[in-house]
Amino acid sequence: MTDATHEGAKRHRSLLTVDAQTKKRNAAEARFKVYGMVAILAGLTFLVVLAVSIIRSGLPAFSANMVQVELTLSQEQYAEAEGQLFKTRAYADIFNAAFTAELRERGLTTEFDPESIERIIGQPGATIRSFYRANEDQLGQPVTFNLPTASRIDGYFKGRLLRENVTDSRFLTLADLDLADELKEAGIIQSQFNWTFITGKDSSVDNPGGAGLGASVIGSFAMMLVVLFLSLPIGVAASIYLEEFAPKNRITDLIEVNISNLAAVPSIVFGILGLAVFIQFAHLPQSAPLVGGLVLTLMTLPTIIISTRASLKSVPPSIRDAALGVGASKMQAVFHHVLPLAMPGILTGTIIGLAQALGETAPLLLIGMVGFVAREYPDGLVSAFMDPNSAMPAQIYTWAARSDDAFYEKAWGGIIILLVFLLAMNLLAILLRRRFERRW
Amino acid sequence: MYDAPTQASKLDQTDIKITANNVQVYYGDTHAIKDVSVDIVDRAVTAFIGPSGCGKSTFLRCLNRMNDTIDICRVEGQIKIDGEDIYDRRIDPVQLRAKVGMVFQKPNPFPKSIYDNVAYGPKIHGMTRNKAELDEVVETALRGAALWDEVKDRLHTPGTGLSGGQQQRLCIARAVATKPEVLLMDEPCSALDPIATAQVEDLIESLKEQFSVVIVTHSMQQAARISQKTAFFHLGNLVEYDDTNTIFTNPSDPRTESYITGRIG
């Protein structure tokens, strides 16, 4: 510019030629755009890798290779089995005998070792026993059982276990695999959708086929209810008071700083706090979803307070003035005008807080909500909150830590279910936002 | 220093609505209003003029205690409406604001329907017993704000969907609906185009039949057009307060003259 004033020739610079400084600026801008795109691409790549690996590893958990067997148990057999010391063993023997007989009848070509059946079908005894105990009237009649195959055979059909890696052992022989292949061809072993995985309870370490996430989904749900009904009213009330009513002084400043700090406290700290306060001091039951909910409420409160205050702050002050100007009290101004306008933000913050709480594992482990606790469904509303249970992430953690590969697969499957819940909650947040959003 | 009481004594004492005595306003350490004393007449338009930051809006907001909402704001002195000190401990500012309505600089309708905007005040003050009465109050207020004919067919559409001028008249209707005795207006036309301004000015002209209207304005023409009394503020002081005609034709203070002729401000 200074040149232009000194040299007349430069005053009439053509706009068609780009000068050096502009070139440099444009180059810098172009570079920045490239960096941005690279960053986004990198992010997307990680996301895709994550999604693909979760789905690839987790999907097999949703199907199971099941054996359908028709069995008739007589009254005498039932009485005899119930009279023995190892009852499930007795049932397994009855089952194995019946199944072997059926296979012979069908005229399967391969000769097989009777023990192979046991290795293929795992442990049918417990299932059969609990069925007949609940339905004694079915004794003497043919009943079709749908039994999971042993985890190694299931893994063999799903490609988790390769034939080349199998050496004959007391757990599995190559002959077993031949027999399993034949059963599959004959349609006796079928791959089915694994409802047990979605609705079931946790099983013992040697029965991965019977393990399911159902009980811990109920545990998670109970905890979320506790979190929602405690943290939403407390959080919103605290934020409204701090934002609209509290005088601005050192004490409120201190509170504000501490709430922000609380949001950054590691969740395991809340876990040990919950253990000390709720269980050891207040003597609430261990492993109970109520306690889990209380701990997660502590964790969620800062998130809700921060987002609620932000959305209250974003309501234009002119709305408050307008309400006060027509003689509304401060509370009327807040509840009639400010709060409805802040609602979308509050709801979004709450749901994000809940989603965080849903995925939290560490504090639950400290208060005893570990996966293997989820052995029984709660029987009733009170029991859902007070009886020992686990939660989805803790159950996943427990499964991932077990040595059997089949549980590892379940852990991935559990993550898919957890993600589905999280996506559903985020979708809900978006829908609520749309629903309540208004202009001003 | 300007001596308010002697000036005020020249005014018609019979119909004084608001009396302010030695009012001081502080924002933290800033002395925003310095020793202002003024008498505001009933059923007339009083205009506050002065350069930006002179304290005229601050003083206006003292009259219905809107400054209470600002933490660091402190008011001293005495403001009486109908002989009652509004800063008395026993006075509830909420009740006061029902009696002293306010219209703001920027149109600020609630993000609700036109009907709900106007009906809100009467509803919270329990002024009506049933829907029919409320309907009537809303209609009267909207007619009073010269808006009825434009919105009568869409009372249940959002108030925020109106044009700027209509929104401001809606805000006036909302203020009028609570049947106040004093109407404070803080630069009500600054966000409006000339046509909407003319409409609002006509409205103010008719409002003074029922209310004591106090208006802050940046436009001296507006003050001259619509007000009967004018107060000139400068740097937190009330420099001169007199009949509008006197202020604009024969001001007694040189600062007033400079401002009116455009030399300061």
PDB file of all heavy atoms in Angstrom, chain A residues 248 318-319 321-329 332 336-337 341 438-439, chain B residues 66 69 71 94 97 102 104 108-112 120 124-125 174 178:
ATOM      1  N   LYS A 248     -23.597 -13.464  43.302  1.00  0.00           N
ATOM      2  CA  LYS A 248     -22.273 -13.798  42.764  1.00  0.00           C
ATOM      3  C   LYS A 248     -21.222 -13.342  43.770  1.00  0.00           C
ATOM      4  O   LYS A 248     -20.975 -12.148  43.906  1.00  0.00           O
ATOM      5  CB  LYS A 248     -22.059 -13.090  41.426  1.00  0.00           C
ATOM      6  CG  LYS A 248     -23.141 -13.394  40.404  1.00  0.00           C
ATOM      7  CD  LYS A 248     -22.858 -14.670  39.623  1.00  0.00           C
ATOM      8  CE  LYS A 248     -24.012 -15.041  38.726  1.00  0.00           C
ATOM      9  NZ  LYS A 248     -25.170 -15.643  39.426  1.00  0.00           N
ATOM     10  N   SER A 318     -33.247 -10.629  27.641  1.00  0.00           N
ATOM     11  CA  SER A 318     -34.440  -9.829  27.333  1.00  0.00           C
ATOM     12  C   SER A 318     -35.714 -10.567  27.712  1.00  0.00           C
ATOM     13  O   SER A 318     -36.726  -9.950  28.043  1.00  0.00           O
ATOM     14  CB  SER A 318     -34.452  -9.455  25.853  1.00  0.00           C
ATOM     15  OG  SER A 318     -34.621 -10.606  25.062  1.00  0.00           O
ATOM     16  N   ILE A 319     -35.656 -11.929  27.676  1.00  0.00           N
ATOM     17  CA  ILE A 319     -36.837 -12.707  28.045  1.00  0.00           C
ATOM     18  C   ILE A 319     -37.111 -12.553  29.541  1.00  0.00           C
ATOM     19  O   ILE A 319     -38.249 -12.381  29.973  1.00  0.00           O
ATOM     20  CB  ILE A 319     -36.618 -14.200  27.698  1.00  0.00           C
ATOM     21  CG1 ILE A 319     -36.463 -14.382  26.192  1.00  0.00           C
ATOM     22  CG2 ILE A 319     -37.754 -15.055  28.229  1.00  0.00           C
ATOM     23  CD1 ILE A 319     -37.729 -14.174  25.416  1.00  0.00           C
ATOM     24  N   ASP A 321     -36.152  -9.970  31.369  1.00  0.00           N
ATOM     25  CA  ASP A 321     -36.621  -8.596  31.550  1.00  0.00           C
ATOM     26  C   ASP A 321     -38.099  -8.494  31.222  1.00  0.00           C
ATOM     27  O   ASP A 321     -38.865  -7.853  31.942  1.00  0.00           O
ATOM     28  CB  ASP A 321     -35.840  -7.650  30.626  1.00  0.00           C
ATOM     29  CG  ASP A 321     -34.457  -7.361  31.175  1.00  0.00           C
ATOM     30  OD1 ASP A 321     -34.205  -7.722  32.333  1.00  0.00           O
ATOM     31  OD2 ASP A 321     -33.639  -6.792  30.436  1.00  0.00           O
ATOM     32  N   ALA A 322     -38.485  -9.135  30.106  1.00  0.00           N
ATOM     33  CA  ALA A 322     -39.874  -9.045  29.678  1.00  0.00           C
ATOM     34  C   ALA A 322     -40.795  -9.597  30.745  1.00  0.00           C
ATOM     35  O   ALA A 322     -41.819  -8.987  31.076  1.00  0.00           O
ATOM     36  CB  ALA A 322     -40.067  -9.822  28.374  1.00  0.00           C
ATOM     37  N   ALA A 323     -40.424 -10.740  31.316  1.00  0.00           N
ATOM     38  CA  ALA A 323     -41.280 -11.360  32.324  1.00  0.00           C
ATOM     39  C   ALA A 323     -41.319 -10.507  33.587  1.00  0.00           C
ATOM     40  O   ALA A 323     -42.387 -10.224  34.133  1.00  0.00           O
ATOM     41  CB  ALA A 323     -40.782 -12.763  32.642  1.00  0.00           C
ATOM     42  N   LEU A 324     -40.131 -10.054  34.041  1.00  0.00           N
ATOM     43  CA  LEU A 324     -40.093  -9.215  35.242  1.00  0.00           C
ATOM     44  C   LEU A 324     -40.854  -7.915  34.997  1.00  0.00           C
ATOM     45  O   LEU A 324     -41.524  -7.401  35.878  1.00  0.00           O
ATOM     46  CB  LEU A 324     -38.648  -8.909  35.633  1.00  0.00           C
ATOM     47  CG  LEU A 324     -37.809 -10.112  36.062  1.00  0.00           C
ATOM     48  CD1 LEU A 324     -36.395  -9.657  36.386  1.00  0.00           C
ATOM     49  CD2 LEU A 324     -38.418 -10.796  37.266  1.00  0.00           C
ATOM     50  N   GLY A 325     -40.763  -7.418  33.771  1.00  0.00           N
ATOM     51  CA  GLY A 325     -41.400  -6.146  33.419  1.00  0.00           C
ATOM     52  C   GLY A 325     -42.910  -6.177  33.537  1.00  0.00           C
ATOM     53  O   GLY A 325     -43.533  -5.163  33.783  1.00  0.00           O
ATOM     54  N   VAL A 326     -43.536  -7.342  33.320  1.00  0.00           N
ATOM     55  CA  VAL A 326     -44.992  -7.394  33.493  1.00  0.00           C
ATOM     56  C   VAL A 326     -45.361  -7.838  34.902  1.00  0.00           C
ATOM     57  O   VAL A 326     -46.507  -8.151  35.168  1.00  0.00           O
ATOM     58  CB  VAL A 326     -45.690  -8.330  32.485  1.00  0.00           C
ATOM     59  CG1 VAL A 326     -45.550  -7.794  31.082  1.00  0.00           C
ATOM     60  CG2 VAL A 326     -45.156  -9.743  32.574  1.00  0.00           C
ATOM     61  N   GLY A 327     -44.355  -7.856  35.794  1.00  0.00           N
ATOM     62  CA  GLY A 327     -44.668  -8.138  37.183  1.00  0.00           C
ATOM     63  C   GLY A 327     -44.627  -9.597  37.559  1.00  0.00           C
ATOM     64  O   GLY A 327     -45.271 -10.001  38.522  1.00  0.00           O
ATOM     65  N   ALA A 328     -43.882 -10.399  36.797  1.00  0.00           N
ATOM     66  CA  ALA A 328     -43.697 -11.790  37.217  1.00  0.00           C
ATOM     67  C   ALA A 328     -42.648 -11.812  38.309  1.00  0.00           C
ATOM     68  O   ALA A 328     -41.715 -11.002  38.301  1.00  0.00           O
ATOM     69  CB  ALA A 328     -43.256 -12.649  36.042  1.00  0.00           C
ATOM     70  N   SER A 329     -42.792 -12.738  39.253  1.00  0.00           N
ATOM     71  CA  SER A 329     -41.742 -12.869  40.249  1.00  0.00           C
ATOM     72  C   SER A 329     -40.564 -13.576  39.568  1.00  0.00           C
ATOM     73  O   SER A 329     -40.690 -14.106  38.474  1.00  0.00           O
ATOM     74  CB  SER A 329     -42.223 -13.687  41.434  1.00  0.00           C
ATOM     75  OG  SER A 329     -42.427 -15.020  41.024  1.00  0.00           O
ATOM     76  N   GLN A 332     -41.377 -17.093  38.762  1.00  0.00           N
ATOM     77  CA  GLN A 332     -42.279 -17.225  37.615  1.00  0.00           C
ATOM     78  C   GLN A 332     -41.521 -16.982  36.321  1.00  0.00           C
ATOM     79  O   GLN A 332     -41.704 -17.702  35.334  1.00  0.00           O
ATOM     80  CB  GLN A 332     -43.440 -16.226  37.735  1.00  0.00           C
ATOM     81  CG  GLN A 332     -44.467 -16.654  38.766  1.00  0.00           C
ATOM     82  CD  GLN A 332     -45.512 -15.576  39.005  1.00  0.00           C
ATOM     83  OE1 GLN A 332     -45.213 -14.384  38.965  1.00  0.00           O
ATOM     84  NE2 GLN A 332     -46.734 -16.001  39.271  1.00  0.00           N
ATOM     85  N   HIS A 336     -41.660 -20.080  33.978  1.00  0.00           N
ATOM     86  CA  HIS A 336     -42.565 -19.932  32.842  1.00  0.00           C
ATOM     87  C   HIS A 336     -41.830 -19.664  31.543  1.00  0.00           C
ATOM     88  O   HIS A 336     -42.315 -20.014  30.481  1.00  0.00           O
ATOM     89  CB  HIS A 336     -43.548 -18.780  33.075  1.00  0.00           C
ATOM     90  CG  HIS A 336     -44.492 -19.044  34.220  1.00  0.00           C
ATOM     91  ND1 HIS A 336     -45.318 -18.094  34.736  1.00  0.00           N
ATOM     92  CD2 HIS A 336     -44.721 -20.169  34.942  1.00  0.00           C
ATOM     93  CE1 HIS A 336     -46.029 -18.605  35.738  1.00  0.00           C
ATOM     94  NE2 HIS A 336     -45.659 -19.863  35.882  1.00  0.00           N
ATOM     95  N   HIS A 337     -40.691 -19.006  31.617  1.00  0.00           N
ATOM     96  CA  HIS A 337     -40.082 -18.545  30.378  1.00  0.00           C
ATOM     97  C   HIS A 337     -38.671 -19.063  30.139  1.00  0.00           C
ATOM     98  O   HIS A 337     -38.360 -19.522  29.063  1.00  0.00           O
ATOM     99  CB  HIS A 337     -40.091 -17.015  30.339  1.00  0.00           C
ATOM    100  CG  HIS A 337     -41.460 -16.447  30.431  1.00  0.00           C
ATOM    101  ND1 HIS A 337     -42.350 -16.527  29.384  1.00  0.00           N
ATOM    102  CD2 HIS A 337     -42.120 -15.857  31.441  1.00  0.00           C
ATOM    103  CE1 HIS A 337     -43.505 -15.992  29.747  1.00  0.00           C
ATOM    104  NE2 HIS A 337     -43.383 -15.578  31.003  1.00  0.00           N
ATOM    105  N   LEU A 341     -37.277 -22.538  27.560  1.00  0.00           N
ATOM    106  CA  LEU A 341     -36.352 -22.248  26.466  1.00  0.00           C
ATOM    107  C   LEU A 341     -35.045 -23.013  26.646  1.00  0.00           C
ATOM    108  O   LEU A 341     -34.359 -23.329  25.677  1.00  0.00           O
ATOM    109  CB  LEU A 341     -36.069 -20.751  26.392  1.00  0.00           C
ATOM    110  CG  LEU A 341     -37.248 -19.908  25.909  1.00  0.00           C
ATOM    111  CD1 LEU A 341     -36.927 -18.436  25.990  1.00  0.00           C
ATOM    112  CD2 LEU A 341     -37.602 -20.277  24.487  1.00  0.00           C
ATOM    113  N   ARG A 438     -37.171 -24.053  19.992  1.00  0.00           N
ATOM    114  CA  ARG A 438     -38.010 -22.941  19.571  1.00  0.00           C
ATOM    115  C   ARG A 438     -37.134 -21.754  19.217  1.00  0.00           C
ATOM    116  O   ARG A 438     -35.996 -21.673  19.625  1.00  0.00           O
ATOM    117  CB  ARG A 438     -38.954 -22.536  20.689  1.00  0.00           C
ATOM    118  CG  ARG A 438     -40.067 -23.529  20.863  1.00  0.00           C
ATOM    119  CD  ARG A 438     -40.963 -23.033  21.941  1.00  0.00           C
ATOM    120  NE  ARG A 438     -41.256 -24.127  22.848  1.00  0.00           N
ATOM    121  CZ  ARG A 438     -42.058 -23.995  23.880  1.00  0.00           C
ATOM    122  NH1 ARG A 438     -42.592 -22.855  24.142  1.00  0.00           N
ATOM    123  NH2 ARG A 438     -42.300 -25.017  24.660  1.00  0.00           N
ATOM    124  N   ARG A 439     -37.716 -20.855  18.478  1.00  0.00           N
ATOM    125  CA  ARG A 439     -36.954 -19.665  18.138  1.00  0.00           C
ATOM    126  C   ARG A 439     -37.337 -18.545  19.097  1.00  0.00           C
ATOM    127  O   ARG A 439     -38.382 -18.566  19.697  1.00  0.00           O
ATOM    128  CB  ARG A 439     -37.289 -19.220  16.711  1.00  0.00           C
ATOM    129  CG  ARG A 439     -36.848 -20.201  15.670  1.00  0.00           C
ATOM    130  CD  ARG A 439     -37.429 -19.827  14.340  1.00  0.00           C
ATOM    131  NE  ARG A 439     -38.880 -19.890  14.358  1.00  0.00           N
ATOM    132  CZ  ARG A 439     -39.656 -18.878  14.078  1.00  0.00           C
ATOM    133  NH1 ARG A 439     -39.154 -17.715  13.777  1.00  0.00           N
ATOM    134  NH2 ARG A 439     -40.962 -19.020  14.096  1.00  0.00           N
TER     135      ARG A 439
ATOM    136  N   MET B  66     -36.179  -2.251  38.199  1.00  0.00           N
ATOM    137  CA  MET B  66     -35.573  -3.273  37.357  1.00  0.00           C
ATOM    138  C   MET B  66     -34.079  -3.385  37.650  1.00  0.00           C
ATOM    139  O   MET B  66     -33.449  -4.392  37.343  1.00  0.00           O
ATOM    140  CB  MET B  66     -35.772  -2.959  35.864  1.00  0.00           C
ATOM    141  CG  MET B  66     -37.126  -3.354  35.317  1.00  0.00           C
ATOM    142  SD  MET B  66     -37.507  -5.100  35.472  1.00  0.00           S
ATOM    143  CE  MET B  66     -36.743  -5.726  33.988  1.00  0.00           C
ATOM    144  N   THR B  69     -32.257  -6.344  39.562  1.00  0.00           N
ATOM    145  CA  THR B  69     -31.763  -7.595  38.984  1.00  0.00           C
ATOM    146  C   THR B  69     -30.268  -7.529  38.707  1.00  0.00           C
ATOM    147  O   THR B  69     -29.649  -8.542  38.404  1.00  0.00           O
ATOM    148  CB  THR B  69     -32.482  -7.916  37.661  1.00  0.00           C
ATOM    149  OG1 THR B  69     -32.262  -6.825  36.751  1.00  0.00           O
ATOM    150  CG2 THR B  69     -33.958  -8.093  37.884  1.00  0.00           C
ATOM    151  N   ASP B  71     -26.719  -7.199  40.152  1.00  0.00           N
ATOM    152  CA  ASP B  71     -26.140  -7.409  41.483  1.00  0.00           C
ATOM    153  C   ASP B  71     -25.385  -6.203  42.018  1.00  0.00           C
ATOM    154  O   ASP B  71     -25.516  -5.848  43.182  1.00  0.00           O
ATOM    155  CB  ASP B  71     -25.175  -8.606  41.447  1.00  0.00           C
ATOM    156  CG  ASP B  71     -25.929  -9.908  41.599  1.00  0.00           C
ATOM    157  OD1 ASP B  71     -27.026  -9.858  42.194  1.00  0.00           O
ATOM    158  OD2 ASP B  71     -25.432 -10.938  41.135  1.00  0.00           O
ATOM    159  N   VAL B  94     -42.248  -7.000  42.823  1.00  0.00           N
ATOM    160  CA  VAL B  94     -43.119  -7.673  41.863  1.00  0.00           C
ATOM    161  C   VAL B  94     -44.456  -6.936  41.754  1.00  0.00           C
ATOM    162  O   VAL B  94     -44.976  -6.697  40.669  1.00  0.00           O
ATOM    163  CB  VAL B  94     -43.321  -9.141  42.286  1.00  0.00           C
ATOM    164  CG1 VAL B  94     -44.385  -9.784  41.464  1.00  0.00           C
ATOM    165  CG2 VAL B  94     -42.002  -9.888  42.162  1.00  0.00           C
ATOM    166  N   ARG B  97     -43.981  -3.686  39.896  1.00  0.00           N
ATOM    167  CA  ARG B  97     -43.851  -3.778  38.443  1.00  0.00           C
ATOM    168  C   ARG B  97     -45.184  -4.039  37.754  1.00  0.00           C
ATOM    169  O   ARG B  97     -45.326  -3.818  36.561  1.00  0.00           O
ATOM    170  CB  ARG B  97     -42.832  -4.855  38.072  1.00  0.00           C
ATOM    171  CG  ARG B  97     -41.422  -4.416  38.395  1.00  0.00           C
ATOM    172  CD  ARG B  97     -40.401  -5.447  38.014  1.00  0.00           C
ATOM    173  NE  ARG B  97     -39.192  -5.237  38.800  1.00  0.00           N
ATOM    174  CZ  ARG B  97     -38.552  -6.188  39.444  1.00  0.00           C
ATOM    175  NH1 ARG B  97     -38.991  -7.426  39.392  1.00  0.00           N
ATOM    176  NH2 ARG B  97     -37.477  -5.911  40.129  1.00  0.00           N
ATOM    177  N   MET B 102     -43.387  -1.786  31.750  1.00  0.00           N
ATOM    178  CA  MET B 102     -42.180  -1.359  31.036  1.00  0.00           C
ATOM    179  C   MET B 102     -42.139  -1.951  29.637  1.00  0.00           C
ATOM    180  O   MET B 102     -42.517  -3.100  29.422  1.00  0.00           O
ATOM    181  CB  MET B 102     -40.945  -1.796  31.814  1.00  0.00           C
ATOM    182  CG  MET B 102     -39.664  -1.268  31.209  1.00  0.00           C
ATOM    183  SD  MET B 102     -38.362  -1.157  32.435  1.00  0.00           S
ATOM    184  CE  MET B 102     -37.152  -0.217  31.521  1.00  0.00           C
ATOM    185  N   PHE B 104     -39.347  -2.381  26.439  1.00  0.00           N
ATOM    186  CA  PHE B 104     -37.895  -2.334  26.314  1.00  0.00           C
ATOM    187  C   PHE B 104     -37.445  -1.858  24.940  1.00  0.00           C
ATOM    188  O   PHE B 104     -38.235  -1.758  24.000  1.00  0.00           O
ATOM    189  CB  PHE B 104     -37.305  -3.708  26.625  1.00  0.00           C
ATOM    190  CG  PHE B 104     -37.576  -4.136  28.033  1.00  0.00           C
ATOM    191  CD1 PHE B 104     -38.767  -4.760  28.362  1.00  0.00           C
ATOM    192  CD2 PHE B 104     -36.668  -3.882  29.038  1.00  0.00           C
ATOM    193  CE1 PHE B 104     -39.033  -5.132  29.655  1.00  0.00           C
ATOM    194  CE2 PHE B 104     -36.931  -4.253  30.340  1.00  0.00           C
ATOM    195  CZ  PHE B 104     -38.108  -4.884  30.649  1.00  0.00           C
ATOM    196  N   ASN B 108     -39.236  -7.657  22.710  1.00  0.00           N
ATOM    197  CA  ASN B 108     -38.898  -8.953  23.313  1.00  0.00           C
ATOM    198  C   ASN B 108     -40.133  -9.769  23.646  1.00  0.00           C
ATOM    199  O   ASN B 108     -40.371 -10.088  24.799  1.00  0.00           O
ATOM    200  CB  ASN B 108     -38.020  -8.765  24.550  1.00  0.00           C
ATOM    201  CG  ASN B 108     -38.667  -7.855  25.576  1.00  0.00           C
ATOM    202  OD1 ASN B 108     -39.707  -7.264  25.314  1.00  0.00           O
ATOM    203  ND2 ASN B 108     -38.081  -7.766  26.743  1.00  0.00           N
ATOM    204  N   PRO B 109     -40.943 -10.092  22.630  1.00  0.00           N
ATOM    205  CA  PRO B 109     -42.103 -10.936  22.939  1.00  0.00           C
ATOM    206  C   PRO B 109     -41.636 -12.298  23.439  1.00  0.00           C
ATOM    207  O   PRO B 109     -40.548 -12.750  23.085  1.00  0.00           O
ATOM    208  CB  PRO B 109     -42.816 -11.070  21.600  1.00  0.00           C
ATOM    209  CG  PRO B 109     -41.776 -10.803  20.576  1.00  0.00           C
ATOM    210  CD  PRO B 109     -40.823  -9.831  21.199  1.00  0.00           C
ATOM    211  N   PHE B 110     -42.466 -12.939  24.269  1.00  0.00           N
ATOM    212  CA  PHE B 110     -42.165 -14.312  24.678  1.00  0.00           C
ATOM    213  C   PHE B 110     -42.301 -15.209  23.465  1.00  0.00           C
ATOM    214  O   PHE B 110     -43.132 -14.953  22.600  1.00  0.00           O
ATOM    215  CB  PHE B 110     -43.161 -14.783  25.746  1.00  0.00           C
ATOM    216  CG  PHE B 110     -43.161 -13.964  26.991  1.00  0.00           C
ATOM    217  CD1 PHE B 110     -44.344 -13.471  27.505  1.00  0.00           C
ATOM    218  CD2 PHE B 110     -41.977 -13.687  27.651  1.00  0.00           C
ATOM    219  CE1 PHE B 110     -44.350 -12.714  28.675  1.00  0.00           C
ATOM    220  CE2 PHE B 110     -41.978 -12.931  28.807  1.00  0.00           C
ATOM    221  CZ  PHE B 110     -43.163 -12.441  29.317  1.00  0.00           C
ATOM    222  N   PRO B 111     -41.528 -16.256  23.386  1.00  0.00           N
ATOM    223  CA  PRO B 111     -41.684 -17.178  22.249  1.00  0.00           C
ATOM    224  C   PRO B 111     -42.951 -18.021  22.397  1.00  0.00           C
ATOM    225  O   PRO B 111     -42.899 -19.238  22.466  1.00  0.00           O
ATOM    226  CB  PRO B 111     -40.417 -18.023  22.294  1.00  0.00           C
ATOM    227  CG  PRO B 111     -39.918 -17.907  23.675  1.00  0.00           C
ATOM    228  CD  PRO B 111     -40.420 -16.628  24.244  1.00  0.00           C
ATOM    229  N   LYS B 112     -44.065 -17.342  22.509  1.00  0.00           N
ATOM    230  CA  LYS B 112     -45.364 -18.006  22.658  1.00  0.00           C
ATOM    231  C   LYS B 112     -46.319 -17.330  21.695  1.00  0.00           C
ATOM    232  O   LYS B 112     -45.915 -16.441  20.955  1.00  0.00           O
ATOM    233  CB  LYS B 112     -45.883 -17.831  24.090  1.00  0.00           C
ATOM    234  CG  LYS B 112     -44.957 -18.391  25.125  1.00  0.00           C
ATOM    235  CD  LYS B 112     -45.579 -18.316  26.496  1.00  0.00           C
ATOM    236  CE  LYS B 112     -44.629 -18.997  27.459  1.00  0.00           C
ATOM    237  NZ  LYS B 112     -45.219 -19.423  28.671  1.00  0.00           N
ATOM    238  N   TYR B 120     -50.393 -13.230  29.541  1.00  0.00           N
ATOM    239  CA  TYR B 120     -49.507 -13.696  30.614  1.00  0.00           C
ATOM    240  C   TYR B 120     -49.621 -12.843  31.876  1.00  0.00           C
ATOM    241  O   TYR B 120     -49.816 -13.376  32.972  1.00  0.00           O
ATOM    242  CB  TYR B 120     -48.057 -13.740  30.124  1.00  0.00           C
ATOM    243  CG  TYR B 120     -47.122 -14.254  31.176  1.00  0.00           C
ATOM    244  CD1 TYR B 120     -47.190 -15.578  31.577  1.00  0.00           C
ATOM    245  CD2 TYR B 120     -46.203 -13.426  31.799  1.00  0.00           C
ATOM    246  CE1 TYR B 120     -46.361 -16.066  32.565  1.00  0.00           C
ATOM    247  CE2 TYR B 120     -45.368 -13.899  32.787  1.00  0.00           C
ATOM    248  CZ  TYR B 120     -45.450 -15.213  33.165  1.00  0.00           C
ATOM    249  OH  TYR B 120     -44.639 -15.695  34.153  1.00  0.00           O
ATOM    250  N   ILE B 124     -50.953 -14.144  35.613  1.00  0.00           N
ATOM    251  CA  ILE B 124     -50.167 -14.316  36.840  1.00  0.00           C
ATOM    252  C   ILE B 124     -50.635 -13.383  37.946  1.00  0.00           C
ATOM    253  O   ILE B 124     -50.384 -13.638  39.116  1.00  0.00           O
ATOM    254  CB  ILE B 124     -48.647 -14.133  36.608  1.00  0.00           C
ATOM    255  CG1 ILE B 124     -48.341 -12.772  36.020  1.00  0.00           C
ATOM    256  CG2 ILE B 124     -48.089 -15.241  35.738  1.00  0.00           C
ATOM    257  CD1 ILE B 124     -46.856 -12.460  36.000  1.00  0.00           C
ATOM    258  N   HIS B 125     -51.341 -12.297  37.561  1.00  0.00           N
ATOM    259  CA  HIS B 125     -51.836 -11.419  38.617  1.00  0.00           C
ATOM    260  C   HIS B 125     -53.261 -11.763  39.009  1.00  0.00           C
ATOM    261  O   HIS B 125     -53.861 -11.054  39.822  1.00  0.00           O
ATOM    262  CB  HIS B 125     -51.755  -9.961  38.164  1.00  0.00           C
ATOM    263  CG  HIS B 125     -50.344  -9.502  37.944  1.00  0.00           C
ATOM    264  ND1 HIS B 125     -49.410  -9.505  38.950  1.00  0.00           N
ATOM    265  CD2 HIS B 125     -49.694  -9.072  36.841  1.00  0.00           C
ATOM    266  CE1 HIS B 125     -48.252  -9.079  38.467  1.00  0.00           C
ATOM    267  NE2 HIS B 125     -48.394  -8.826  37.184  1.00  0.00           N
ATOM    268  N   ARG B 174     -48.781  -6.026  25.840  1.00  0.00           N
ATOM    269  CA  ARG B 174     -48.504  -6.893  26.978  1.00  0.00           C
ATOM    270  C   ARG B 174     -48.354  -6.064  28.261  1.00  0.00           C
ATOM    271  O   ARG B 174     -48.841  -6.425  29.325  1.00  0.00           O
ATOM    272  CB  ARG B 174     -47.209  -7.669  26.699  1.00  0.00           C
ATOM    273  CG  ARG B 174     -46.824  -8.645  27.760  1.00  0.00           C
ATOM    274  CD  ARG B 174     -45.609  -9.407  27.346  1.00  0.00           C
ATOM    275  NE  ARG B 174     -44.444  -8.546  27.231  1.00  0.00           N
ATOM    276  CZ  ARG B 174     -43.301  -8.904  26.666  1.00  0.00           C
ATOM    277  NH1 ARG B 174     -43.164 -10.099  26.145  1.00  0.00           N
ATOM    278  NH2 ARG B 174     -42.288  -8.085  26.604  1.00  0.00           N
ATOM    279  N   THR B 178     -51.752  -5.492  31.935  1.00  0.00           N
ATOM    280  CA  THR B 178     -51.792  -5.643  33.397  1.00  0.00           C
ATOM    281  C   THR B 178     -52.378  -4.396  34.065  1.00  0.00           C
ATOM    282  O   THR B 178     -52.345  -4.288  35.281  1.00  0.00           O
ATOM    283  CB  THR B 178     -50.383  -5.886  33.959  1.00  0.00           C
ATOM    284  OG1 THR B 178     -49.512  -4.871  33.466  1.00  0.00           O
ATOM    285  CG2 THR B 178     -49.856  -7.237  33.557  1.00  0.00           C
TER     286      THR B 178
END
